[in-house]
Structure formats: C-alpha cells, structure tokens
Amino acid sequence: GAGPVSVVLEARKAWVLDQRGQRPEAIRQMERVVERAPGHLWALERLAEWRWAEENWTGVLEAAERMLRVAPRWTVALAWKAAALEKLPARSDEALAVHEQALGIDPGFAYSGRRVFEARLANGDLNGAERVLKGLEFHAPGDEPLLMWLQLHARRGDKSGVLAVMARLARSPSVSASMLVHAHRVAVSAEAGMEAEQELEQTAREA
C-alpha cells in the first residue's frame, strides 16, 4: 500500500542509500516516493538537494515547482527555484523575480535579500538596494547586513560611512576573518583602505 507510514519508510530508505554513497539509486528511490506522495515536502527537498549536487538544474527546478504547488509561500522552495533558474542560461533572467517574491513573503530571508540587494547595486538602484538592506537588517540583524552597508557606502563614495561600518564590523564578536578580509577589500575600493587597516589594528590592540 501507499499509506503514510510506508511512504515515510521508503523516503527513509532513500536517505540511507544516499548516506551510503549510493546517490543515483537514492534519487531513483526518492522519485518513486514523490510519485506516490506528491506533497511530501521533505522528500522533494532531498530530491532538489541531490539533483543540485548532480548539477541537474532542470531536475532541481522541477522539484522546487512541485514543492511550491504544495506550499506556495515557502521561501525555501522559492530559493531552490531561483537557484535553479540562475543556472539555466535560457531562464536566468527569471530568477530575480522569484527572489523578490521570497523577500516579499519574508523581508528577513537573507539568501534572497542578498541576491536582490546585489542586483539593485549592479543596476545602480542604490535607494532600492538600501530599502532591501533596511528590511534585512530589521528582520535578520548581524554581520552580513553590516557588510552590505559597507558595499552600499562604498558605491556612494561615502568614505566616512565606510569607516563607521568598518569600526562596527571590527568590534563584532561574531565576525569571521574571511568577512573582515572582504570588508577590507570593499574599503580599499572606496579609497579607505589605509584607515580601515588602522581601525583593525586599533581593535586588535583593544582585544
């Protein structure tokens, strides 16, 4: 039978196959699961994940669209759809609208927020980028929005803004070394590299 218990067991078997390194067989098994239970979101998400690893972008898109039929406002499914579209040259221009849809549902959804912010920055829509960033900062504060503020100030040629954010980042207890390296590169692009280095050295002395 195709009862809920047997579907869960079959999905679990597919996951175990993948854990054992038998991904092609795991994918085939999970495809059988979603044929029997088209609304099984966990199975569909595993399919998207495994197909992504196999670089099967159309397969990822198909899984994402099936997820969205069940849960049309699920930002994770929208992220899978947008990520797959970005990989498909004929449809990559559709991805931004999907990210914007996800951000409309959850203004703190960092994955799509970053993509929309970067697109607005690239198009010179700095006020639009700032609106996205303020939503992210309000709903999902942390080091990532600070780095984005740094990029925005750099694009505006606002050296004092760059240095003020650099000071906040340098003093953040959770900031990673790689993020500080990235931040320094952004500061250099705004011709504030020397002052940024002084800020980092000052913070190191205070630590």
Side-chain angles (χ1 to χ4, degrees), residues 3 6 15 18 29 39 42 52-53 70 75 83 107-108 120 128-129 138 157 163 184-187 192 198 201 207:
S6 67
W15 182 81
D18 181 69
Q29 170 82 14
W42 185 84
W52 181 271
V70 181
T75 52
R120 300 260 165 91
F138 180 78
L163 291 172
H184 181 254
R185 279 202 300 269
V186 174
Q198 289 167 354
E201 285 167 9

Side-chain angles (χ1 to χ4, degrees), residues 2 12 15 30 37 39 45-46 63 73 88 92 97 102 115 137 154-155 183 185 187 190-191 193 198 203:
R12 172 77 184 173
W15 182 81
M30 203 64 94
E45 197 182 356
R46 296 294 75 71
R73 290 175 58 81
L88 295 166
S92 59
R115 290 294 203 280
E137 188 175 46
R155 277 296 301 275
R185 279 202 300 269
E191 298 181 356
Q198 289 167 354
T203 309

Side-chain angles (χ1 to χ4, degrees), residues 119-130:
R120 300 260 165 91
L121 217 56
N123 293 335
D125 178 10
L126 303 187
N127 290 337
E130 183 173 341

Side-chain angles (χ1 to χ4, degrees), residues 145-174:
L146 280 176
L147 184 59
M148 291 159 79
W149 273 116
L150 201 69
Q151 291 173 277
L152 185 58
H153 289 313
R155 277 296 301 275
R156 285 177 167 156
D158 178 3
K159 195 170 170 178
S160 63
V162 166
L163 291 172
V165 175
M166 192 77 198
R168 287 179 63 195
L169 259 181
R171 286 167 173 75
S172 167
S174 55

Side-chain angles (χ1 to χ4, degrees), residues 173-195:
S174 55
V175 72
S176 66
S178 63
M179 188 172 280
L180 284 177
V181 169
H182 188 178
H184 181 254
R185 279 202 300 269
V186 174
V188 168
S189 77
E191 298 181 356
M194 186 73 73
E195 295 96 325

